[in-house]
Amino acid sequence: DVDAASDTMDYYQDGKDVLHMLAASGKPEDQTPMLISKITDIEFNPPWRIPADIAEKELFPKEQRDPGYFAREQIVKGPSAAVPLVQQAGSKGALGQVKFEFDNAYGVYLHDTPAKAAFAHDAREVSHGCVRLQHAVDLAKMLLNGVSGWSPDHIDQLIATNDTQTVNLPKPAPVMLLYWTAYVQNGRVVFGPDPYGWDDIL
């Protein structure tokens, strides 16, 4: 359960909130959509397959201004015009140590991040539309709890190798990206931030 308005994530088991963390959603110009889907795959040490619009607007200009930027950031040529650049997995990888994939029409996903500074701020709308998670590895371990061969120790060992590996969840996990600016908590109505200005539309 991700709330893009408050930039938080909660994982529920048997109706109980068992994992709460901060999140960082899309910038007002790159809004995180609302959707309901199911997490089907977890990718450890994920490379960032950089979409063409981000590459053209942001990264190619950076390399032109600062030759050597791609080499320092471990960015290499991608496989297609739609994905012209790929940032390799590792310490520089923008997706951190784990990525959660689910079917949706927007091309968004949940992922870890090496850039933890955003979690120190109240306003955390900093991404291109995907959602960064404060404790993504903890979520991966919970989703793989009880799956043969995927103990927490094994996950830690795999992450340490920097090798990319995708795990298909035997039982897909429901995921909701929501936007709550008003909700009931402990019997009271709470009004939260509206970073995208959607309340005016409603």
Side-chain angles (χ1 to χ4, degrees), residues 23-144:
S25 58
K27 295 174 282 190
E29 62 269 28
D30 292 307
Q31 297 173 357
T32 295
M34 287 190 285
L35 61 88
I36 297 175
S37 187
K38 290 184 178 181
I39 296 173
T40 55
D41 298 277
I42 300 175
E43 187 175 32
F44 291 102
N45 298 318
W48 181 26
R49 301 164 186 91
I50 302 171
D53 59 337
I54 296 175
E56 291 165 8
K57 291 177 185 176
E58 299 180 29
L59 300 183
F60 283 122
K62 282 186 178 180
E63 175 67 14
Q64 287 181 337
R65 291 193 303 269
D66 180 15
Y69 170 78
F70 283 176
R72 290 194 306 275
E73 296 299 316
Q74 300 173 342
I75 295 173
V76 297
K77 183 179 179 181
S80 66
V83 183
L85 298 173
V86 173
Q87 186 179 41
Q88 298 170 319
S91 60
K92 297 283 188 177
L95 305 188
Q97 297 174 326
V98 63
K99 170 187 175 186
F100 304 87
E101 298 180 338
F102 45 90
D103 183 52
N104 67 91
Y106 307 96
V108 297
Y109 42 84
L110 311 181
H111 65 92
D112 183 30
T113 176
K116 305 294 186 184
F119 299 123
H121 302 286
D122 290 335
R124 295 183 291 277
E125 294 79 34
V126 295
S127 82
H128 291 98
C130 294
V131 179
R132 305 175 191 178
L133 300 178
Q134 183 184 26
H135 303 299
V137 174
D138 291 342
L139 177 60
K141 289 177 178 178
M142 282 196 163
L143 291 175
L144 289 169

